[in-house]
């Protein structure tokens, strides 16, 4: 009885401590976005999706996930440069992982997922959806083309949104 009592007391204590911790320190950088106007205005309109090179040298990839594809379907990024991904979903919870790299996140409707990573190797990587999002889940994937930094900078200079989707 004493042992069981101690275990229960420990579990209750854990709940109180984690509850207080989350209440006093909520997760930082929660960014929300309106799903209803996602395609119409703001950061995630179609013309703004893809990879950009900012004047200060920051590389940002913007993408959206929807049943059952990513936009853009093929993403160009430079090797050996920090790349920031900003993504969201339009309909259900999706996610993606880029090959065997540490680029991995969930995409939740209404929220902007963001992370920064550096790709070490050039070449093509597969980018499958890794959250079950419906009957087409296993057919949902994109591609990531990691190109040498010089090649990327030469391409990106025009200031447009880069993708490797065939036109
Ligand atoms: Cu999208 Cu699974």
């Amino acid at each position: 009885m004493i042992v069981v009592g101690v275990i229960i007391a420990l579990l209750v204590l854990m709940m109180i401590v984690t509850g207080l911790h989350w209440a006093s320190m909520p997760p930082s950088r929660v960014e929300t976005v309106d799903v209803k106007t996602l395609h119409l205005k703001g950061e995630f309109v179609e013309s703004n999706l893809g990879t950009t090179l900012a004047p200060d040298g920051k590389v940002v990839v913007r993408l959206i996930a929807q049943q059952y594809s990513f936009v853009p379907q093929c993403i160009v990024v430079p090797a050996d440069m920090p790349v920031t991904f900003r993504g969201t979903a339009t309909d259900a919870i999706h996610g993606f992982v880029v090959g065997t790299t540490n680029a991995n996140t969930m995409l939740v409707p209404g929220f902007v997922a963001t992370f920064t990573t550096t790709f070490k190797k050039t070449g093509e990587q597969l980018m499958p959806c890794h959250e079950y999002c419906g009957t087409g889940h296993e057919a949902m994937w994109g591609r990531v083309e990691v190109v040498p930094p010089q090649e990327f900078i030469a391409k990106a200079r025009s200031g447009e949104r880069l993708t490797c989707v065939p036109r």
Side-chain angles (χ1 to χ4, degrees):
M1 252 175 65
I2 292 168
V3 171
V4 170
V6 167
I7 290 170
I8 290 170
L10 261 177
L11 291 175
V12 170
L13 192 71
M14 272 165 59
M15 286 197 292
I16 292 169
V17 170
T18 49
L20 287 175
H21 176 79
W22 281 89
S24 61
M25 286 198 284
S28 61
R29 297 192 308 121
V30 175
E31 257 186 88
T32 56
V33 64
D34 189 354
V35 175
K36 290 194 290 287
T37 57
L38 201 61
H39 293 284
L40 304 173
K41 60 175 187 193
E43 185 179 352
F44 293 97
V45 294
E46 194 172 356
S47 58
N48 202 36
L49 300 176
T51 312
T52 57
L53 176 65
D56 60 359
K58 284 206 180 101
V59 181
V60 180
V61 177
R62 291 186 179 83
L63 75 160
I64 58 171
Q66 60 201 6
Q67 285 166 325
Y68 296 99
S69 63
F70 293 99
V71 184
Q73 273 292 93
C74 185
I75 291 166
V76 190
V77 292
D80 303 322
M81 285 170 78
V83 177
T84 300
F85 281 79
R86 292 178 58 78
T88 188
T90 61
D91 40 26
I93 294 177
H94 302 273
F96 66 86
V97 57
V98 179
T100 54
T101 69
N102 67 350
N104 185 338
T105 191
M106 274 171 83
L107 299 168
V108 182
F111 295 90
V112 179
T114 173
F115 66 89
T116 302
T117 190
T118 303
F119 295 95
K120 302 246 157 34
K121 275 190 297 180
T122 57
E124 191 181 292
Q125 305 265 11
L126 285 182
M127 188 182 91
C129 175
H130 66 32
E131 295 289 333
Y132 183 75
C133 52
T135 49
H137 164 69
E138 71 274 11
M140 180 171 172
W141 54 274
R143 285 183 300 131
V144 174
E145 239 173 54
V146 186
V147 299
Q150 309 84 334
E151 190 184 324
F152 178 83
I153 290 165
K155 269 189 193 163
R157 213 168 267 159
S158 59
E160 57 179 60
R161 279 39 180 164
L162 287 180
T163 72
C164 43
V165 177
R167 290 164 206 239

